[in-house]
Amino acid sequence: MKTILTLKYGEKYTSDDVNSIYEHTEGKYNYVCVTDDPKGLDPNIGIIYMEHEPEGNMEKLKLFQFNFGGPILYLDLDVRIQKPIDHLFDYCGENPIICYTWWKDKKDKMPIGDYPYRDKFPLSNYNSSIMMWNDATHIWNHYNKNPDEYIVKYPYGDDTFLYHEGFTFEHLPNSEVYSYLYAGRKYRPEFTICLLNGQDRHPEIAKEYDELCMHQVGH
């Protein structure tokens, strides 16, 4: 059973964002949304209730405790699916998969284990907007032993925890995923998924991408 897993908490995203992923993948998988507010979700989407921690930034790590009897594809709610995704499940093997930031310049890369609190360098080469696993309970168990310690150690969030704690990840090929912002704000239809990361600094890019995508597809 192939599962698409999403996470919705707080007020940043809505049930429409979850339902959009369901619609764009034609409803042909098992769908589960972990949320603190299931109102408005498509009835075909399974719900796991999870209390939101307003001061936390490690919610995604809780997802690794789940196993649905087959490969899991986790998607952030700011991704845009551009092509059929069924082949992505073929990448899922023994090790979990996470999106690597292929789009960053080499000079911006952060060596594993080099973790100074320096804002001028990115603190992770991972982007957890897309992750896959068959069984990744070892990650959850590792975090759950000392959650308070890791929240202090990694104030920038789950990406840095996943990058620096010694886990073995595989990566999706750089031909599958691109970042709209780091691609020069261009619509790249040859990729399977587009990431709209960077909205904290550029909140306009989601609307910009959607309008550009609609124009490109229309022609």
Side-chain angles (χ1 to χ4, degrees):
M1 180 172 60
K2 299 173 181 176
T3 297
I4 293 182
L5 179 65
T6 53
L7 174 65
K8 182 182 79 71
Y9 60 85
E11 299 179 353
K12 185 175 182 180
Y13 297 104
T14 69
S15 58
D16 288 341
D17 296 308
V18 181
N19 295 339
S20 178
I21 290 177
Y22 175 84
E23 293 164 3
H24 280 86
T25 54
E26 302 178 333
K28 61 181 182 179
Y29 305 106
N30 178 48
Y31 297 83
V32 177
C33 180
V34 177
T35 182
D36 60 351
D37 181 10
K39 183 179 178 180
L41 290 176
D42 188 290
N44 293 303
I45 299 174
I47 296 167
I48 296 178
Y49 184 84
M50 184 177 291
E51 194 70 35
H52 171 44
E53 300 175 13
E55 302 302 322
N57 55 5
M58 296 290 198
E59 277 88 354
K60 288 183 192 177
L61 300 181
K62 301 173 185 177
L63 303 179
F64 292 113
Q65 66 187 289
F66 301 126
N67 186 325
F68 302 113
I72 296 170
L73 170 59
Y74 168 78
L75 296 172
D76 265 0
L77 297 181
D78 62 353
V79 306
R80 296 294 188 270
I81 297 170
Q82 302 188 154
K83 295 165 59 176
I85 64 167
D86 201 58
H87 69 284
L88 294 182
F89 288 97
D90 295 337
Y91 293 116
C92 202
E94 180 179 354
N95 296 318
I97 295 171
I98 196 167
C99 186
Y100 191 80
T101 56
W102 304 106
W103 52 84
K104 288 182 180 178
D105 292 337
K106 289 183 179 179
K107 62 182 176 61
D108 292 328
K109 297 298 185 184
M110 171 64 69
I112 291 178
D114 183 9
Y115 190 75
Y117 295 151
R118 298 176 298 183
D119 289 334
K120 65 180 180 178
F121 292 114
L123 299 179
S124 171
N125 298 336
Y126 291 164
N127 184 303
S128 58
S129 295
I130 304 173
M131 299 187 290
M132 300 182 69
W133 65 89
N134 282 301
D135 184 347
T137 51
H138 64 287
I139 296 176
W140 164 248
N141 292 335
H142 181 92
Y143 170 74
N144 200 37
K145 288 179 181 178
N146 296 292
D148 293 336
E149 173 187 333
Y150 292 126
I151 288 173
V152 173
K153 184 177 180 181
Y154 299 109
Y156 291 92
D158 40 42
D159 285 5
T160 48
F161 169 86
L162 294 171
Y163 188 67
H164 291 284
E165 282 298 308
F167 306 114
T168 299
F169 280 96
E170 307 295 338
H171 309 300
L172 288 173
N174 60 359
S175 58
E176 296 285 4
V177 180
Y178 78 107
S179 166
Y180 174 74
L181 180 64
Y182 287 90
R185 296 167 84 144
K186 296 179 181 179
Y187 173 62
R188 303 286 301 278
E190 67 272 23
F191 288 85
T192 304
I193 296 178
C194 175
L195 304 185
L196 294 178
N197 55 323
Q199 291 187 59
D200 54 334
R201 292 170 287 117
H202 302 278
E204 74 282 359
I205 63 172
K207 181 179 179 181
E208 179 181 298
Y209 169 88
D210 289 339
E211 291 177 349
L212 181 60
C213 176
M214 185 177 299
H215 174 75
Q216 295 277 353
V217 171
H219 285 71

